[in-house]
Amino acid sequence: MQISDLPYPDPGVPDARSGPRFLLWLGRNQLAGQLKSLCWGLLHFCGIAGLPFAVGLGVQAVVDRDGTRLILVGGLVLLIGIAISLGDTMLHRTAVTNWITAAARVQQLLARKTAELGAALTRRVAAGEVVAVSTGDVEKIGWFVEAVSRFLAAAVAVVVICVGLVFYAPALGVVVAGGVPVLALAVLPLLPRATRRADIQRDKAGRATELASDTVAGLRVLRGIGGEELFLGRYREASQEVRKAAVRSARMWALISAIQVLLPGLLLITVVWYGATLVLDGRITVGELVAVFSAVALMLYPLRHFEEIAMAYSFSRPSAKRAARVLSLTRTDPGPDGDAPAEPGARATAAQRAEADAPPAAKPAAPAPGGDLYDPETGLMAPAGVFTAVVCGDPDLAGRLAERLGGHPADAVGGPSVLLGGIALDALELDTARTLVLVQDKDPVLLSGTLRELLDVPASAAVEASAALAAAQCADVLDALSQSAPDGVDDPMDARITERGRSLSGGQRQRLALARSLVTDPEVLVLDEPTSAVDSHTEARIAEGLATLRAGRTTVVLASSPLLLDRADRVVLVDGGTVAAVGTHRELLHGEPRYRAVVTRETDEEQLLGAVERIETLRELTEIEESA
């Protein structure tokens, strides 16, 4: 894999049962790159391993005053130097390539999962956690993938040096071979504690990121109620906790680094002292002592990679765990209130892997235009070409129902899918399902860019942007954008919208999002409280424009506003999770107390008083008839 080949045509189906399994899956998918890095690493480290022996031969040639042998040794040192330089350069190149390709694969997987789940993602995972996974965690996962091949090459080099010293100078080689395992394994008892401290730091940093993300998202509201200082204080406390956790983690890693310096130093002192004794006794030559000393000194470099791989794994494991948690979510996973299995990630990922390994099943063709939208769970029917309004007493139920109508059932795993024209949305290709049914939730997001770019979405081209803006009553929004546009921008369509439309009011953002949905012109449009942030006069005009523009197209609006309900062709009351009544707004208002309670916001006492008054009126009419 070359960086120029990115992005991947298909990043694959990840093993998201756990963080370590996800890291192993990444490594398996980059075997070619890891082998290249390992080969260049072996050339680099084995060159380093051979350098001390060449130096020892050169020193001994000087002692013996053998010029020919010294020239040969000089040529050998030159070749070893070329091997070290070439191996180091290519090792760095291939290792960085492994890091970038692994990070790119994870980012593609996250982007694909985000596109698959849509707005349902942030209902199941905190937005701050998604941000942490897609930024810092990706880097740490890539670091571990990069460090693996370097560590393996360094481990081979250490073994080669030890074995070579045993054969080259047995008396000293045995000392070195016995001391190196102690150097490599001395820090193992400290690694679990260091890993736990790193995990605590990562958790605290993730919570601080979530708090910062939530604070920024609600900054306008916080300023309106004067609560920004309160949340700023909370973020200060969270950041101080992160700082303290980072210091505790750094202390442990500093101790590990100190041990990695202290023990090799003791080994060097032992080698020099014992080697000098052997030279005085005539058991080894000066050249052999220099070779052994140089080998031990240079061995400190590959030994550092043992510490690096431990740090890379301890930092990447919680990052991989968070990434696996996000990647294990599926369209049919339960929401936070659903009856989730004990290990939803393992269950979902196993299903994904089984689906990937099995022969691809034929997806059903898209239903013919003009099919009814039907939800078997609630019994809701939205006839084709009809403006249907849905009234739910529970706002959370309305949000879940909108999610279900978009093909994302969040109530239970394996529940019945919504049908369009008799075909299950879950069975269709995701792109096809989203082309047929578009859901706009109650808190739509506006991306930064110009208004023209905002409305440049996949669409049928049957609805012009001007018509959609007019239907959504965006005239004042265009005026506001024109006034805030810099000099030289005359067309409000070229005016820029800030991130999430923060410079606009809630009602303006809501109307622009509605215009974007209308431009798309899907076969079925589902709107969840599309006018909750606008005044009643604007809402009445939006209801009129929506009914006119969507005439002959299936439209489902979840709302409780009488202005919208009165414009609907058909109104459905959903109570207790099922359809309780169907009719027009006026029919239900006069004949269904539960509907009237939701729409008019009647309290229980007012409903009881109204029932008593109707009973009294009926009794009076009965008495009049009897007396007559």
Side-chain angles (χ1 to χ4, degrees):
M1 170 61 69
Q2 300 294 326
I3 296 177
S4 59
D5 297 329
L6 297 174
Y8 293 96
D10 179 13
V13 179
D15 186 349
R17 287 177 289 177
S18 65
R21 288 179 182 272
F22 181 60
L23 292 174
L24 180 61
W25 178 83
L26 281 176
R28 286 202 311 265
N29 281 272
Q30 288 186 217
L31 284 179
Q34 294 286 1
L35 289 175
K36 288 180 183 179
S37 185
L38 177 60
C39 291
W40 289 115
L42 289 175
L43 177 63
H44 173 61
F45 287 112
C46 288
I48 292 176
L51 188 60
F53 299 101
V55 172
L57 292 174
V59 171
Q60 193 60 42
V62 173
V63 172
D64 297 340
R65 298 181 181 277
D66 189 340
T68 302
R69 184 152 43 107
L70 184 61
I71 293 174
L72 293 176
V73 171
L76 178 60
V77 171
L78 179 61
L79 290 176
I80 291 176
I82 294 174
I84 292 175
S85 300
L86 179 62
D88 189 25
T89 301
M90 297 307 297
L91 172 61
H92 177 74
R93 180 185 179 89
T94 53
V96 171
T97 301
N98 288 337
W99 173 68
I100 293 177
T101 51
R105 186 187 297 273
V106 176
Q107 286 177 330
Q108 277 189 256
L109 290 170
L110 291 171
R112 185 176 69 180
K113 183 59 63 175
T114 302
E116 176 187 344
L117 296 178
L121 176 62
T122 52
R123 296 193 186 105
R124 302 175 187 176
V125 182
E129 184 171 351
V130 177
V131 173
V133 171
S134 59
T135 53
D137 287 340
V138 168
E139 181 179 351
K140 294 176 179 61
I141 292 171
W143 177 27
F144 176 75
V145 174
E146 171 199 6
V148 167
S149 55
R150 278 206 308 268
F151 163 72
L152 293 177
V156 172
V158 169
V159 173
V160 168
I161 292 175
C162 292
V163 173
L165 289 178
V166 170
F167 285 98
Y168 181 74
L172 278 178
V174 171
V175 175
V176 175
V180 167
V182 176
L183 299 182
L185 303 178
V187 298
L188 283 183
L190 300 177
L191 288 179
R193 183 177 298 179
T195 301
R196 286 195 298 271
R197 291 190 179 186
D199 290 348
I200 293 174
Q201 178 192 352
R202 290 289 167 266
D203 291 340
K204 291 183 179 297
R207 286 196 291 270
T209 302
E210 293 175 15
L211 180 60
S213 177
D214 294 341
T215 302
V216 171
L219 190 58
R220 177 186 289 270
V221 177
L222 292 176
R223 286 176 176 172
I225 62 176
E228 64 268 25
E229 286 299 328
L230 174 62
F231 276 80
L232 182 60
R234 291 180 181 177
Y235 181 74
R236 286 197 187 101
E237 294 177 1
S239 63
Q240 288 301 314
E241 291 181 4
V242 174
R243 182 187 63 80
K244 293 176 183 178
V247 170
R248 292 186 71 250
S249 178
R251 285 174 180 169
M252 184 57 64
W253 288 112
L255 177 61
I256 292 175
S257 298
I259 293 174
Q260 291 285 350
V261 173
L262 176 63
L263 294 183
L266 294 177
L267 180 60
L268 277 175
I269 293 174
T270 303
V271 167
V272 172
W273 175 77
Y274 184 55
T277 304
L278 295 177
V279 170
L280 292 176
D281 294 342
R283 297 171 59 184
I284 63 173
T285 64
V286 174
E288 290 174 337
L289 175 59
V290 172
V292 174
F293 175 81
S294 301
V296 175
L298 289 176
M299 196 161 44
L300 299 182
Y301 172 61
L303 279 175
R304 289 190 193 133
H305 291 79
F306 286 74
E307 178 187 354
E308 182 194 15
I309 194 65
M311 292 183 64
Y313 179 72
S314 65
F315 278 85
S316 65
R317 187 174 62 84
S319 297
K321 181 180 179 181
R322 280 196 292 265
R325 179 170 178 259
V326 174
L327 295 175
S328 66
L329 299 174
T330 63
R331 293 173 63 194
T332 55
D333 274 345
D337 299 328
D339 298 327
E343 296 182 357
R347 178 170 172 178
T349 306
Q352 288 177 319
R353 289 196 309 277
E355 181 180 352
D357 296 337
K363 295 285 186 179
D372 298 335
L373 184 68
Y374 176 66
D375 178 21
E377 183 165 317
T378 60
L380 172 65
M381 168 69 76
V386 174
F387 182 0
T388 301
V390 180
V391 176
C392 297
D394 182 3
D396 293 334
L397 173 60
R400 292 195 298 270
L401 178 56
E403 190 173 313
R404 282 187 52 79
L405 295 177
H408 298 281
D411 294 333
V413 174
S417 171
V418 171
L419 306 177
L420 178 62
I423 297 178
L425 282 181
D426 286 350
L428 297 173
E429 293 286 353
L430 183 60
D431 292 342
T432 303
R434 287 187 171 170
T435 301
L436 295 171
V437 182
L438 174 65
V439 178
Q440 177 184 304
D441 61 18
K442 63 181 63 178
D443 188 22
V445 175
L446 301 182
L447 301 179
S448 59
T450 65
L451 181 56
R452 194 183 308 278
E453 293 171 342
L454 176 70
L455 300 180
D456 185 16
V457 292
S460 66
V463 177
E464 297 290 338
S466 57
L469 291 169
Q473 299 300 310
C474 294
D476 64 315
V477 184
L478 297 179
D479 293 338
L481 291 175
S482 298
Q483 294 174 4
S484 62
D487 295 338
V489 178
D490 298 327
D491 190 349
M493 295 294 291
D494 295 325
R496 295 198 63 82
I497 300 173
T498 57
E499 182 187 2
R500 290 180 175 267
R502 299 190 193 282
S503 60
L504 303 173
S505 67
Q508 290 174 329
R509 291 197 299 270
Q510 203 170 52
R511 281 177 282 163
L512 283 181
L514 176 59
R516 179 178 58 188
S517 299
L518 293 175
V519 166
T520 304
D521 189 38
E523 181 176 340
V524 178
L525 177 60
V526 180
L527 304 172
D528 186 6
E529 295 287 355
T531 58
S532 59
V534 301
D535 60 84
S536 57
H537 297 288
T538 305
E539 186 177 29
R541 293 194 296 268
I542 290 175
E544 179 69 26
L546 179 63
T548 303
L549 190 64
R550 292 288 298 176
R553 307 286 276 170
T554 307
T555 306
V556 180
V557 177
L558 292 95
S560 58
S561 168
L563 296 173
L564 274 175
L565 298 174
D566 195 40
R567 287 295 309 173
D569 301 321
R570 189 169 181 267
V571 180
V572 179
L573 172 65
V574 176
D575 185 59
T578 59
V579 172
V582 179
T584 65
H585 167 62
R586 298 179 186 275
E587 291 171 352
L588 295 177
L589 192 62
H590 291 90
E592 178 54 61
R594 291 172 295 180
Y595 178 83
R596 183 169 55 253
V598 174
V599 173
T600 62
R601 277 71 169 178
E602 285 183 352
T603 63
D604 293 339
E605 292 78 5
E606 290 172 337
Q607 293 182 50
L608 181 59
L609 181 60
V612 170
E613 290 178 352
R614 287 191 294 273
I615 292 174
E616 291 294 337
T617 301
L618 181 60
R619 180 180 300 171
E620 291 175 0
L621 292 174
T622 303
E623 292 177 352
I624 293 173
E625 291 178 355
E626 290 178 352
S627 62

